[in-house]
Amino acid sequence: MTERFLIASNGDSLARLAAELFCGWVWEAIGKSAGQVARVAISGGSTPRAMNRELATMDVPWGKIELFWVDERAVPPTSDRSNYGAAKADLFGKLKKPPRGLFAMPGAATDLDAAARGYESAIARTFGMPASDAASAKYPSFDLVMLGIGDDGHTASLFPGDATVDVTDRWVIPVPAAEGREARLTLTRPVITAAKRVVVLAQGEKKKGPIGLARKAGALREIPSRLVQEVKGELVWLVDAAAVEAAAG
Ligand code: 6PG
């Protein structure tokens, strides 16, 4: 794995930098792929929203992008908790032409396990892999996975204390509701870490501690964002100055 920090001075410049880098990374993936396609998975939460609004103003090759989500809340797409709903409001609802593939996670499904398996099938079709590979430790390698990091050290919808971070025989799993948190759907750790590039987008002072913990050795169940230490390709911390330790004097 290679790891690097890209640091913007504040939230506004972080959003612009993230949007510009996103564009560059997808063009790089398109150029490298036989099929002239980039396969990307994006996260939800609040941090990516400013980046998405910037992307809506840019010339992104959406016609060459197969777009998936890293995770989704178990809510309808019209809910203000929906990651897809937010991305539609900030970005996809503004596009003249949709992405080549846009695969919202079916958060509103009544049977989340069946929905997870259906999403695995969509990933398998896009990657030209048998869906059965999900159970046999073969994983799709996304060109780009955009992650956030929670104040509690979660990433995707892999939360501290849950066994979900240890699941390796699925690509997508349901996550049960917990105190103050609706049920979720999420990519699993091995799918995330199989990506050619994993980018953690984080902004603000509150992310300093979780980033530090994610980079330290320790139990995955304690800090699931430690999964970034297993990234096979490139790991990029795309942050604002407030989110990183003051540079050593
Ligand atoms: C979600 C996200 C989640 C998010 C982190 C950070 O569905 O909530 O995928 O993993 O990335 O919670 O969220 P913020 O960007 O809001 O801090």
Side-chain angles (χ1 to χ4, degrees):
M1 169 180 79
T2 58
E3 179 185 24
R4 58 186 172 135
F5 274 84
L6 298 176
I7 305 172
S9 48
N10 57 46
D12 289 346
S13 55
L14 177 63
R16 278 194 301 277
L17 175 63
E20 284 158 12
L21 287 168
F22 181 97
C23 266
W25 286 327
V26 295
W27 272 120
E28 179 188 344
I30 291 163
K32 284 180 178 172
S33 81
Q36 291 292 294
V37 66
R39 293 173 293 206
V40 177
I42 58 173
S43 285
S46 57
T47 307
R49 299 203 63 169
M51 174 190 75
N52 289 344
R53 288 191 289 269
E54 288 287 338
L55 284 171
T57 68
M58 296 169 72
D59 183 16
V60 181
W62 293 112
K64 296 176 182 289
I65 297 175
E66 300 279 4
L67 193 91
F68 291 83
W69 265 259
V70 169
D71 64 339
E72 184 56 276
R73 292 85 180 270
V75 296
T78 50
S79 161
D80 62 8
R81 290 283 298 156
S82 167
N83 288 337
Y84 168 78
K88 182 179 178 193
D90 297 334
L91 174 53
F92 301 113
K94 302 173 183 173
L95 298 183
K96 292 189 181 61
K97 283 177 65 182
R100 173 175 155 148
L102 192 149
F103 301 89
M105 280 186 165
T110 47
D111 180 341
L112 285 178
D113 190 62
R117 291 193 186 278
Y119 205 72
E120 283 175 345
S121 299
I123 295 172
R125 280 193 301 276
T126 301
F127 281 81
M129 298 172 72
S132 57
D133 274 357
S136 52
K138 294 192 186 91
Y139 306 104
S141 176
F142 280 93
D143 296 300
L144 174 62
V145 170
M146 300 291 295
L147 294 179
I149 186 167
D151 299 352
D152 61 356
H154 80 262
T155 192
S157 283
L158 301 171
F159 293 95
D162 285 1
T164 48
V165 72
D166 293 326
V167 172
T168 56
D169 62 349
R170 295 284 295 271
W171 293 351
V172 186
I173 53 173
V175 178
E179 176 66 32
R181 185 186 83 213
E182 68 278 282
R184 305 284 186 100
L185 287 167
T186 188
L187 296 184
T188 55
R189 176 176 115 243
V191 172
I192 294 169
T193 58
K196 295 174 182 64
R197 177 176 281 121
V198 173
V199 179
V200 181
L201 181 66
Q203 176 189 339
E205 173 85 20
K206 276 188 176 179
K207 303 299 184 184
K208 194 186 285 189
I211 291 172
L213 288 170
R215 300 185 68 236
K216 283 196 177 75
L220 274 168
R221 284 205 191 181
E222 182 196 2
I223 303 287
S225 50
R226 282 180 176 143
L227 63 78
V228 298
Q229 298 175 32
E230 298 175 3
V231 167
K232 304 291 181 296
E234 182 185 40
L235 172 63
V236 179
W237 297 93
L238 186 46
V239 296
D240 68 346
V244 287
E245 299 291 354

